[in-house]
Structures are given as C-alpha cells and as structure tokens.
Amino acid sequence: MNSENFIADHVKNLPRSGIRDFFAIVSEMPQAISLGIGEPDFVTPWKIREASIFALEQGKTSYTDNRGLLSLRKEISKYCTSFFGPDYDPVSEILVTVGVSEAIDIALRSILNPGDKVLYHEPCYVSYAPSVTLAFGEPIPVATTPGQEFSLDPEAFEKAWQPGCKVLMLNFPTNPTGGTADREKLERLAKFAKEKDLIVISDEIYAELTYEGDHVSISSLPGMKERTLLLHGFSKGFAMTGFRVGFGCGPDWLIEAMMKIHQYCMMCAPILSQEAAIEALRNGTEDVLQMRDQYHKRRDFVVRRFNEIGFNCHLPRGSFYAFPSISSTGLNEIDFCHRLLREQEVAVVPGTAFGEHGVNHVRASFSTSYDKLVDATDRIEKFVYCLDSENKEPAAV
Amino acid sequence: MSDLLTVLQDTADPRPEKLAKILGSTPQEVENELEELRRNKTLLGWMPILNPIQGQSEQVRAVIEVKISPEREGGFDRMALRISKFEEVESCYLMSGGYDLLVFVTGKNLKSVASFISERLATIQGVLSTATHFLLRPYKDHGHLLAEETENQEKPSISP
Ligand SMILES: Cc1ncc(COP(=O)(O)O)c(C=O)c1O
C-alpha cells in the first residue's frame, strides 16, 4: 500500500511550518530560554477560569446554538461597539468560533471559488497562506517592509492587485512584526477595497495589545462594515489560548454562509469556554489592561536592549513580538537561530517562518518574565560579541 | 509610583545592576534613587517573602482584635503606637467597625504569644478587651499563592 496515494495533493504539497521544525529542536533542550512563544505567559485571570468551573458545576455540558450562546453574542456585540466601533446584530451578524483559527478557515472556505485570489501582507501569521491554499484559493503575498516598520502599506496592495482578487486579508497589530495600521492608511485601503470590490477579512486578535495610540478597525470606516469580516478572539488580550474561543462579525449573508460550514464541521464552540468568554467580556477588561501594561514595559526593555546589542529593531506598536533585523551579525536568520540556540540556549524564531519577507529578521516574543528577558538578552549580547571576535580573528593574524 | 518602584515590585532580583538594565539607567543612578527613597521613608526596608509553611515552620502567628479607650488628646494614636512598639507586634492597624486595633503578632510558640497577650497587651491601661485568633494554615501570603499552580509542562516552548 502506498500511503502517499491516500493524501490529497493539495495537502501533500502544503509546506511544513518552519516553526514546527524549530520546535522539534527546542523541545530537546528544556533548559533553553524560549522567546519563541506565541501566546501570553500569563495564565487566564482567575475570575474567568472560575466562571468556567462554575458552569461545569452547574452541569453546563451541552452543545450550544451553532452560532454560540446568545448571551455571549450579546456581550460580543456590546464589546465590538465600544472597542471597534460598528454595531453588530447578535442574532444575525456574529458567529462564535473555535478560535480565530477556525474563523479564518471557514471564512475563506465560504468566500473562495477555486482559483480566487487573496491579497495579504507578509511577514504574517503562519496559517494565512495554507488556509487560502486549503480553500483552493491563490495566496498573493504583499510585503510590509522594515523601512515602514512593517506597518500597513496601502500602495503596495494597490500595486499587487490583479484580476481575480476577491479577498483582502489584514492582521494589525501584526504577528510577527508588531506593525499597526493608522486611520489614514486604512482609509486609503478602504477606498481601494471598494473600488476593486474586495471583501476584507480583518484579523484583529492583538487589538487590545496596542501601545501607541488607539487601535483603529477597518470595519469602523464609512461603508466598510458591509464588506468586512472582523475577526477577534480571547486568546491574546484575555490570555485564553487554551479555551479555543473566538468570533467573527460581519454582514449577515457571510455569517450565514460561515455558519453552514461551522455547523457541520464544528457544531459549536465548547460551552465551558463560551461561559468563560462571557465573564471575560463582562469583568475582564481591567485584567487585560494590566497585562497590556506589563507587555508594554517589557517591550520597551527588549527593544532598547536589541538596539544596544546592535540589531536594528523598530518599536512594535502592538502585539507581544519584537522583530529585529539581525543582518548586522552577518548570519542569515536560520543560522542565527540555530547557533544562538546551540551556543547560548536562547530560542527565537527565524523571520522566514512567517514568509519570505521575514528574511534577515527574527521574532522574539516578550511574553516572558522580566527576569528571563534580562537573562535572554544578556545571552544574545554575548553571542553577538563572540561572533564579532570570531569574525575579527583572521584579520588579526 | 516611580518606574523604579514599579520594577522593584515586579522582580525577584533587586540588584542595582539588574534594575539599571531594565530601566535603561546606570547602577549608580539606581543606587541614588534608592537612597532618596530610603531617605524620604518611601522605601522602609527589604524583606524576603518566605513561604510560611517551609520557612518558619515553628513560628506562631495570631491576629488580635483590640478595643481601647480613646484619649482626649491624640485619640487612638498614643495607645496604637505604644502597642506597635512591642517586638512581638508585626503590624498594627486602626480599624473601623466592632473593635479599634487589629494587631498581628508572632512568637516562637503558642505559649510565648499567649503570655505576650495576657501579660503585656491586655494589662496595658486603656486596653478594654482583646479577642485573639491564631493563624492555622496559610494559603496565600503577600500576593503569593502557597499551593503554586503546577506549571503547564506541556505548553509548547515554540508556538506560532
Ligand atoms: C494573527 C493571529 N491570528 C490568529 C491566531 C490564532 O488565534 P486563536 O487562538 O484564536 O485561534 C493567532 C495565534 O497565534 C495569531 O497570531
């Protein structure tokens, strides 16, 4: 039996995630300090966990409405109005999903016919291109650049447009670069989306973790609510990755289409997580602010240290990732990560794990305690120092 | 609160070199600021937070509700200070409600705490009554949970 024959071509041809390869090495080194973690280091605030425990005690162990608990959708609707701007009808314009991950998948599957093109910016979250491919679409990456601190560049999107483009996918603040999008740029992009009749999928999962100015959602711009799917979730801001709960808000026809897929492949998000999410929205926003303040301080520290070490590191305006250029070391990002791990036992992720435009950069998460960050940056400094003397040695002879 | 104070409360390692690195200043600047904080009595001292279960297992702690009679001049202050000065007293607060002072006391055993209360505290003129509660088992101390949540060993060390 040739097992190869049984795997669908479009799955077989899907590249392995660069992150997984690296993960395999790091997991052999339990003593290493990891700045490779893409989730909060905080555990979920106790009151949110407690709400889930209470729900369990109450015997809430059933399925829910496919769209999610109505009480949760009502809270989501209130939260979106106050935090993002638009008003969404809890009954027809909101779908509770198993994380933003599921929402991305079912949104693309709902929208794309085979061969439809999706514009998205890169470096980006690892699942974007594969999700497009799995929905039989064609991913069209558009670079965000170090020169613009990886912020939104509407002009680049305009240039990259080609016939067959149907979707514009955004993620600001961005994993892995911390780039953000200001109102003016979003307005220009919105105009472009309308002109070219594109649907916008806007993954704003890091919205609460914005450190400079206020987060602006493209869904709040005039005429955009009707062509934008706003994706958000509890994983990052509320430190609830393991609960696996997120949501999509958008026009009723799109939510209805997504719901069709969701009801067959997922049925509903876990009820205990939905109960926790209700508590998060009702009483968790103070905790979010506290965590954000912690990330903010750590960000300032890490970025300052990277620049002291000699990397060119822009200030990530959101998310919990720093994305320094390591080209001053003379190593490429893959060798840098492997040698740093071997020689100083610090793990960071090669920028190219997030697409080829991450070349010469690495992602370092500051979702780690101060003490570890101090230690890790000291070790990186030592590593770079040793590299320098290594490079100088032959000349000295 | 100054940046230094915020960081001090965050880190387990208060060496000036380390604090300076976090704050982006020099160890000398940190020393100077610490000195100033000590001088103006913002920073009263350092205290390691020991796990009361493991660190001082023989110690006995009690919390005592004390009723006192206020005085014409100074109200409760003179009595409160007088009580606070005993070495056995860890902390002392003026309270609203059913009694006046809440006094935390430590001693090396039950007997020594009991004799402090009955022979010293209760006999002070102006102390009207005491109600003593011995602390049995701590669950959280100075913001630290004593039964730590086990760290999630299966949390991936690298994730997207
Ligand atoms: C940009 C982005 N979108 C989506 C996700 C997935 O989030 P969820 O846990 O809600 O599935 C992540 C997680 O790392 C992310 O960084």
Side-chain angles (χ1 to χ4, degrees):
Chain A
M1 171 176 162
N2 183 356
S3 57
E4 283 281 294
N5 291 343
F6 290 97
I7 302 298
D9 292 339
H10 66 293
V11 176
K12 220 182 317 185
N13 298 334
L14 217 53
R16 255 175 79 85
S17 158
I19 290 230
R20 282 219 66 81
D21 293 337
F22 203 59
F23 171 69
I25 307 171
V26 180
S27 55
E28 301 286 301
M29 303 178 63
Q31 71 290 8
I33 303 181
S34 180
L35 306 185
I37 296 173
E39 60 179 315
D41 61 320
F42 300 104
V43 280
T44 311
W46 173 248
K47 60 168 87 87
I48 299 174
R49 289 187 271 161
E50 205 268 341
S52 210
I53 296 170
F54 184 63
L56 191 56
E57 282 173 350
Q58 297 269 300
K60 293 194 178 168
T61 58
S62 63
Y63 294 132
T64 69
D65 187 304
N66 294 131
R67 289 169 188 268
L69 294 167
L70 183 59
S71 49
L72 174 56
R73 282 180 280 144
K74 284 181 177 164
E75 291 298 333
I76 291 171
S77 172
K78 267 194 265 174
Y79 188 75
C80 285
T81 305
S82 72
F83 192 81
F84 295 106
D87 289 317
Y88 292 104
D89 174 13
V91 175
S92 61
E93 296 180 322
I94 296 174
L95 177 67
V96 177
T97 56
V98 179
V100 169
S101 305
E102 188 218 349
I104 292 169
D105 176 42
I106 60 176
L108 291 167
R109 283 202 273 159
S110 302
I111 297 167
L112 299 179
N113 284 313
D116 284 344
K117 293 171 184 158
V118 177
L119 290 163
Y120 65 100
H121 52 96
E122 206 191 75
C124 69
Y125 182 49
V126 294
S127 87
Y128 287 3
S131 299
V132 172
T133 307
L134 287 172
F136 303 103
E138 188 186 328
I140 314 273
V142 179
T144 52
T145 59
Q148 300 191 35
E149 305 196 331
F150 297 96
S151 63
L152 169 64
D153 178 4
E155 215 178 315
F157 276 107
E158 289 160 15
K159 285 199 190 122
W161 183 88
Q162 47 185 278
C165 284
K166 192 171 186 184
V167 177
L168 186 55
M169 239 168 124
L170 303 177
N171 168 226
F172 294 103
T174 309
N175 174 6
T177 63
T180 54
D182 65 31
R183 182 176 296 277
E184 208 176 299
K185 299 259 174 67
L186 283 172
E187 276 165 359
R188 176 156 173 188
L189 190 74
K191 186 160 163 272
F192 161 72
K194 285 184 228 168
E195 271 167 22
K196 299 297 184 191
D197 199 21
L198 301 170
I199 292 187
V200 178
I201 298 180
S202 188
D203 173 355
E204 300 180 28
I205 192 162
Y206 292 95
E208 288 91 350
L209 307 180
T210 299
Y211 312 110
E212 249 68 42
D214 287 331
H215 174 78
V216 183
S217 175
I218 193 166
S219 64
S220 68
L221 301 182
M224 288 308 289
K225 186 191 154 193
E226 65 201 52
R227 62 170 69 245
T228 302
L229 178 68
L230 168 63
L231 302 184
H232 194 49
F234 298 86
S235 289
K236 313 293 171 166
F238 292 90
M240 292 174 63
T241 45
F243 284 82
R244 309 307 306 125
V245 60
F247 54 88
C249 301
D252 55 2
W253 45 267
L254 179 53
I255 293 296
E256 179 62 27
M258 286 166 63
M259 206 277 286
K260 266 200 222 167
I261 306 178
H262 174 79
Q263 71 182 352
Y264 294 130
C265 75
M266 207 59 76
M267 191 86 97
C268 64
I271 186 169
L272 295 174
S273 303
Q274 294 192 52
E275 291 285 347
I278 293 173
E279 175 65 17
L281 293 177
R282 283 189 187 152
N283 298 311
T285 42
E286 194 54 43
D287 299 271
V288 173
L289 291 180
Q290 276 174 18
M291 290 188 272
R292 187 194 63 181
D293 286 349
Q294 293 284 331
Y295 294 131
H296 190 163
K297 287 193 204 112
R298 297 170 184 177
R299 175 199 72 159
D300 292 348
F301 168 72
V302 163
V303 170
R304 198 188 69 238
R305 286 291 287 139
F306 281 157
N307 283 301
E308 282 169 8
I309 291 168
F311 299 158
N312 193 348
C313 184
H314 68 279
L315 197 65
R317 298 169 71 87
S319 82
F320 39 61
Y321 308 107
F323 200 65
S325 160
I326 46 87
S327 53
S328 62
T329 62
L331 296 177
N332 69 36
E333 70 287 347
I334 308 269
D335 292 342
F336 179 93
C337 292
H338 283 275
R339 283 192 57 182
L340 176 63
L341 184 58
R342 236 182 304 127
E343 293 167 30
Q344 291 294 336
E345 305 198 321
V346 175
V348 295
V349 183
T352 38
F354 307 95
E356 63 188 60
H357 293 113
V359 68
N360 289 331
H361 287 72
V362 298
R363 189 192 75 174
S365 161
F366 45 87
S367 172
T368 308
S369 70
Y370 248 131
D371 289 337
K372 279 191 188 159
L373 288 173
V374 172
D375 197 2
T377 46
D378 283 354
R379 292 190 198 190
I380 294 174
E381 188 165 43
K382 204 186 292 171
F383 173 68
V384 171
Y385 182 78
C386 292
L387 275 181
D388 281 351
S389 21
E390 213 174 87
N391 293 342
K392 280 190 198 113
E393 243 158 48
V397 177
Chain B
M1 206 186 293
S2 80
D3 284 352
L4 176 59
L5 283 178
T6 319
V7 172
L8 261 185
Q9 291 177 319
D10 256 11
T11 176
D13 182 353
R15 283 173 305 152
E17 305 80 57
K18 181 132 181 199
L19 296 171
K21 206 167 264 170
I22 294 173
L23 291 161
S25 58
T26 65
Q28 189 55 50
E29 282 168 332
V30 171
E31 291 275 20
N32 294 347
E33 196 176 340
L34 285 175
E35 190 47 45
E36 174 58 21
L37 289 168
R38 274 188 220 110
R39 207 189 48 71
N40 68 23
K41 295 219 185 318
T42 306
L43 181 63
L44 297 176
W46 301 107
M47 198 167 53
I49 303 174
L50 299 185
N51 185 328
I53 300 172
Q54 285 163 3
Q56 319 144 292
S57 50
E58 301 310 319
Q59 286 230 336
V60 174
R61 293 179 80 203
V63 36
I64 311 161
E65 301 165 5
V66 184
K67 284 188 188 161
I68 54 180
S69 49
E71 293 166 326
R72 175 90 188 203
E73 278 178 29
F76 294 105
D77 291 352
R78 194 186 66 87
M79 287 294 290
L81 274 174
R82 190 166 167 198
I83 291 172
S84 297
K85 283 181 184 168
F86 284 106
E87 277 217 331
E88 290 84 346
V89 174
E90 217 176 71
S91 30
C92 174
Y93 301 89
L94 180 65
M95 308 293 289
S96 66
Y99 52 92
D100 305 310
L101 297 178
L102 187 65
V103 179
F104 285 78
V105 172
T106 44
K108 50 181 190 304
N109 52 41
L110 196 75
K111 209 168 125 211
S112 68
V113 173
S115 73
F116 168 72
I117 296 163
S118 59
E119 289 163 27
R120 301 294 197 78
L121 186 62
T123 55
I124 296 173
Q125 207 172 25
V127 169
L128 304 175
S129 72
T130 60
T132 303
H133 311 275
F134 283 97
L135 276 59
L136 298 182
R137 177 187 291 170
Y139 291 94
K140 189 176 187 179
D141 202 49
H142 289 83
H144 293 268
L145 274 181
L146 298 177
E148 273 305 340
E149 298 183 314
T150 48
E151 205 174 312
N152 179 2
Q153 298 292 342
E154 291 180 34
K155 182 165 171 170
S157 52
I158 297 278
S159 50

